[in-house]
Amino acid sequence: MNLRTLRVFVEVVRQGGFSQAAEVVSLTQSSVSKAVRTLEDELGTPLLNRIGHKSELTAAGEIAYRRALVLLAERNDLIAEINELRDLKGGTLRIGLPPVGSGVLFAEMFATYRSRYPMVNIELIEHGSKKLCECLEAGEVDLAALLIPIDETFAYQEVRNEPLVVVLPSAHSLSRRKRMNFSDLADSPFILFDEGFALNALIMAACDRRGIVPRVTARSGQIDFIADLVAAGLGVAFLPRMLAQKHKHAGIALVPLEEPHTDWNIALAWRAGAHLPPAAMAWLDLAKELR
């Protein structure tokens, strides 16, 4: 049983005959008759009583007609919903973002996206990089903002590349330096982000290349708190330049970090080979536009 056959049958009933229905569905009268016979053979019972040039429903035909109307209406609703999804008049954007830097990077994007696609529902989760990768692998989100390098199981589109700066207490002996590397900071205690934040891995890998084992005195997931801990003299921290400048205050100094392979290079990632819904594709297009 197919929907095309059901539509022919419904039109025969609506139009009161085969020749009239043939005009509506753009088929020959013999094709219309064959379609109805096929449906009757499939159901194992006559659906129409042929009386001259007119046709009347049998009891089974009444049931088939009522059910066919429902199925055809569902088909039309299905097409309308798919079209709405394609035209972004519906659907859901499921995106995962890290707590660090998302406001600076994505707040404007969210506002623009919402103004363009007000009918799209946005589901946002915030986690560190490790948890975001797990959510992406599990299909819980369509897109996630991750730091490069990114596992080869994911495809990605770059969003922003920022160098790191060293955040020091204003009174620190190195606070007036033009630039520095991790060797200069070998004796300074470090303040890092919480476990699971990808930025920590960049910092620790660079220290390892220098043969330095830093002494970590504190960890936090909040940039404001990290800046305050630095100002209080607890240690030095490392932030992407755009975030450090946003949180700069009188108690801290910012010095560029001259260290290879430590840039904060953030991208939007998705499962390689996965079908991205239109809402996610529109987000990627907007990210490219605003980059």
Side-chain angles (χ1 to χ4, degrees):
M1 185 185 303
N2 61 58
L3 293 177
R4 181 182 174 86
T5 303
L6 288 178
R7 183 177 175 239
V8 170
F9 168 65
V10 165
E11 286 304 329
V12 170
V13 176
R14 283 175 173 167
Q15 304 304 323
F18 289 81
S19 59
Q20 301 94 316
E23 293 181 15
V24 174
V25 297
S26 300
L27 293 173
T28 64
Q29 184 172 334
S30 62
S31 294
V32 170
S33 297
K34 182 179 179 182
V36 173
R37 282 198 304 273
T38 299
L39 184 60
E40 289 177 326
D41 290 344
E42 190 172 349
L43 294 175
T45 185
L47 302 178
L48 294 168
N49 286 320
R50 282 78 166 174
I51 305 171
H53 293 294
K54 296 201 172 188
S55 302
E56 293 182 351
L57 288 168
T58 63
E62 292 277 1
I63 296 172
Y65 179 67
R66 186 175 70 251
R67 294 289 187 178
L69 290 177
V70 173
L71 290 171
L72 291 172
E74 286 291 333
R75 177 253 187 195
N76 291 336
D77 288 344
L78 170 63
I79 292 173
E81 252 187 89
I82 295 296
N83 287 336
E84 285 184 357
L85 189 67
R86 188 181 300 115
D87 297 336
L88 292 171
K89 295 177 181 175
T92 300
L93 171 65
R94 303 183 307 157
I95 188 167
L97 299 179
V100 176
S102 293
V104 175
L105 281 178
F106 298 111
E108 180 185 353
M109 279 185 62
F110 273 111
T112 303
Y113 190 91
R114 174 58 71 203
S115 67
R116 290 185 186 180
Y117 314 113
M119 303 304 292
V120 173
N121 180 46
I122 298 175
E123 292 182 2
L124 169 66
I125 65 168
E126 288 186 294
H127 289 298
S129 292
K130 183 179 179 181
K131 180 63 176 177
L132 286 179
C133 286
E134 292 173 359
C135 292
L136 206 53
E137 288 171 346
E140 295 172 11
V141 293
D142 300 307
L143 298 171
L146 302 174
L147 283 186
I148 297 173
I150 291 174
D151 190 277
E152 62 183 11
T153 58
F154 302 130
Y156 64 88
Q157 174 181 306
E158 292 190 41
V159 175
R160 186 73 175 248
N161 187 20
E162 285 281 316
L164 293 187
V165 300
V166 186
V167 185
L168 309 100
S170 297
H172 196 285
S173 60
L174 300 176
S175 63
R176 297 188 180 278
R177 292 278 295 269
K178 297 296 184 183
R179 62 189 58 82
M180 65 180 65
N181 58 40
F182 283 120
S183 294
D184 300 319
L185 298 165
D187 296 327
S188 297
F190 284 16
I191 300 170
L192 298 179
F193 284 98
D194 286 334
E195 297 287 349
F197 282 67
L199 192 55
N200 291 344
L202 291 179
I203 293 168
M204 298 306 290
C207 287
D208 187 60
R209 289 192 294 271
R210 294 273 184 183
I212 297 167
V213 180
R215 178 166 56 92
V216 179
T217 56
R219 295 179 182 271
S220 175
Q222 302 298 319
I223 296 178
D224 283 336
F225 187 46
I226 288 174
D228 289 341
L229 290 175
V230 171
L234 200 64
V236 301
F238 308 91
L239 294 174
R241 180 178 55 193
M242 64 184 298
L243 302 183
Q245 290 172 345
K246 179 178 173 62
H247 294 273
K248 189 177 187 306
H249 57 73
I252 61 176
L254 307 179
V255 178
L257 179 67
E258 197 170 73
E259 195 72 57
H261 310 300
T262 55
D263 282 2
W264 187 68
N265 194 1
I266 198 160
L268 289 164
W270 60 94
R271 284 176 296 154
H275 170 74
L276 287 177
M281 293 299 298
W283 181 266
L284 290 174
D285 289 341
L286 180 58
K288 190 178 298 182
E289 176 187 328
L290 297 179
R291 188 178 175 191

